[in-house]
Amino acid sequence: MTDREKAEDIEAEAARWVWRLDRDGRAPELEAQLEAWLAGDARRRGAFLKAESVWSLLDRARGTAPSSFAGRARPVSRRVLLAGAGGAIAAAMVGAGVLLLREERFNTGVGEVRRVPLEDGSAVAINTASAVEVAFQRGQRTVRLREGEAWFQVARDVQRPFVVEAGAVRVRAVGTAFSVRRRANGADVLVTEGVVEVWAEGATRAPARLRAGQGAFIDASAVVRPAVAAPEAVDRKLEWRYGKIDLAGETLSEAVADFNRYNDRKLVIADPRIADERLYGVFNTGGPDAFAAAVGASLGVEVEARGGEIVLGRRRAS
Amino acid sequence: MTSDREHIVKWVASEVMPHEAGVRAWLRRARVPADEIDDLMQEAYAKLVGLQRVDQIESPDGYFFQVVRNLLTDKLRRAKVVRIEAATEIDALSVCSDEPSPEQATAARRELSRVQALIQALPERCRRVFELRKVLGVPQREIARRLGISESAVENEAVKGMRLIMRALQEEGAEVRGDRVRKTNDRSRKG
């Protein structure tokens, strides 16, 4: 075996090919060059197949391909995946030298989702039209949700609990991940990892515990009303972090309300008889038109863009 | 042709790669030198390229084992010096390679959460490149601009990152498959 090309060199070259094809697409002359390279050694085809496979595997990191999470596998793997992605993105932002640590208040516009790494290693994903204030003290990490919704992936620190304040509602964690959405008289809490304690400032009720896969609405007097039936529902409701709305039996009016959080062009239901129709599917938060078209087709109703609105109209005579 | 290729690529990613660590562990136990293991694995993947259809393969891990085993047997035959340990392991393997694998179903699932962990474990700049390209879908040229480095530097980071991920995938989780091989050995001794 004299001067045989080393497997690791082949591996590096195969990875390079995958990257170049990703950049330039499969132009004929590039294909020809690739074919020439592949033909040079029997191992190269194997290395290239593997590099392509790794590349395709990484696509799943995007977490926006619900079809690949079908069935029983979905709740667990997805929860892990999403939590991981949040952390990775936050970490990547640190890596790029984005210095957000000094800033104490974060606002997002309509349709905007912002990811912010915090100085303690925690990460926040802030949903559309929201305001978050970060106030870390020596003994406690306090975050105030002034408006809207945010998901927190909390770095473990037993000495300094992480407390989110949403109006009177308080959510406390040590090392976990959860989201809080402020409502008029309370807050929705969804837990993706670990356990959190919820209570309300000024209420006498003892703190309640919510664990991973649970969600609840907590009102200003600390009454906890369970709101989510299954762990996968928690994951679905947090798809906004990836710019998605994942519907699995929500009513049209619920879906429309959700879309309208993300867009200035509002969806309007003209015919109340279709408001309770249940819908399934995954849509982009910023694509009310595509959603409206899908609704129009599946419910058989007229869709009309009228000024700043998209009207889901009357049922067509069939 | 492209879609067939894509199909095989996806199948390899989800059904074969999760078992590479186990195959490598077995080859190490069979005292196959490290550089030969690397060669063997690439040759084995090359065999998969020629597959017309993959859906009918019921036990991809067993199938992959079989491919590696055949390649190794050829090699040993050509070398004319049969290592005793290797031959014994090969016999043991022929028992287990036909069985459907209980961990097969869960392997792909594990793989998924692992991908996340793998990206996170990359060195800073590498990770940034992968996050931008794969999670956020930023075009390569734009990545170079955003990071303030040349396109070829981005390419080098990407190549480095992919290799680190491959390395991690092929070394991780080896004990899963190892357990199974050992169990099989016990059984064949009993029988």
Side-chain angles (χ1 to χ4, degrees), chain B residues 106-169:
Chain B
T106 54
R109 222 178 305 157
R110 275 202 310 270
E111 202 67 5
L112 213 61
S113 52
R114 221 198 274 171
V115 169
Q116 274 307 326
L118 288 170
I119 292 182
Q120 285 192 70
L122 290 174
E124 210 85 317
R125 203 149 76 164
C126 260
R127 180 177 58 199
R128 180 75 177 141
V129 168
F130 277 94
E131 290 292 345
L132 286 170
R133 185 74 198 100
K134 282 304 200 182
V135 180
L136 301 173
V138 176
Q140 289 190 23
R141 281 192 183 84
E142 175 68 12
I143 294 175
R145 201 186 61 74
R146 279 205 207 174
L147 297 185
I149 57 178
S150 68
E151 276 185 53
S152 66
V154 172
E155 181 176 307
N156 288 337
E157 290 292 336
V159 169
K160 185 169 100 184
M162 257 189 274
R163 296 186 67 197
L164 285 170
I165 288 170
M166 276 186 225
R167 213 38 62 78
L169 281 175

Side-chain angles (χ1 to χ4, degrees), chain A residues 4 7-8 11 16 19-20 22-23 43 46 50 52-53 55 59-61 69 73 80 84 88 96, chain B residues 5 9 12 20 39 42 46 109 112-113 116 120 128 131 133-134 140 155-156 162-163 167 170:
Chain A
R4 195 164 189 238
E8 57 185 279
E11 181 187 275
R16 203 169 288 280
W19 181 253
R20 288 192 174 154
D22 173 66
R23 181 185 59 203
R43 294 168 294 165
K50 194 177 153 190
E52 276 190 297
S53 300
W55 188 247
D59 281 334
R60 301 183 199 175
F69 302 102
V80 173
Chain B
R5 174 77 184 186
V9 163
V12 167
E20 181 175 339
D39 285 348
Q42 287 183 346
R109 222 178 305 157
L112 213 61
S113 52
Q116 274 307 326
Q120 285 192 70
R128 180 75 177 141
E131 290 292 345
R133 185 74 198 100
K134 282 304 200 182
Q140 289 190 23
E155 181 176 307
N156 288 337
M162 257 189 274
R163 296 186 67 197
R167 213 38 62 78
Q170 69 199 30

Side-chain angles (χ1 to χ4, degrees), chain B residues 5-16:
Chain B
R5 174 77 184 186
E6 259 170 44
H7 191 62
I8 291 185
V9 163
K10 291 221 168 75
W11 178 77
V12 167
S14 62
E15 303 295 334
V16 179

Side-chain angles (χ1 to χ4, degrees), chain A residues 5-18 34 37-38 41-55, chain B residues 5 9 12 17 20 24 38-49 162-163 166 170:
Chain A
E5 190 180 11
K6 275 191 179 159
E8 57 185 279
D9 295 332
I10 294 178
E11 181 187 275
E13 204 52 33
R16 203 169 288 280
W17 270 109
V18 168
L34 170 64
W37 178 74
L38 287 173
D41 186 307
R43 294 168 294 165
R44 289 181 185 171
R45 284 187 201 280
F48 181 62
L49 175 64
K50 194 177 153 190
E52 276 190 297
S53 300
V54 168
W55 188 247
Chain B
R5 174 77 184 186
V9 163
V12 167
M17 275 179 28
E20 181 175 339
R24 282 177 176 270
D38 288 344
D39 285 348
L40 265 173
M41 296 316 296
Q42 287 183 346
E43 285 164 26
Y45 278 102
K47 292 278 179 208
L48 304 180
V49 175
M162 257 189 274
R163 296 186 67 197
M166 276 186 225
Q170 69 199 30

Side-chain angles (χ1 to χ4, degrees), chain A residues 66-78:
Chain A
S67 59
S68 59
F69 302 102
R72 215 162 45 83
R74 188 166 150 156
V76 175
S77 61
R78 226 176 185 206

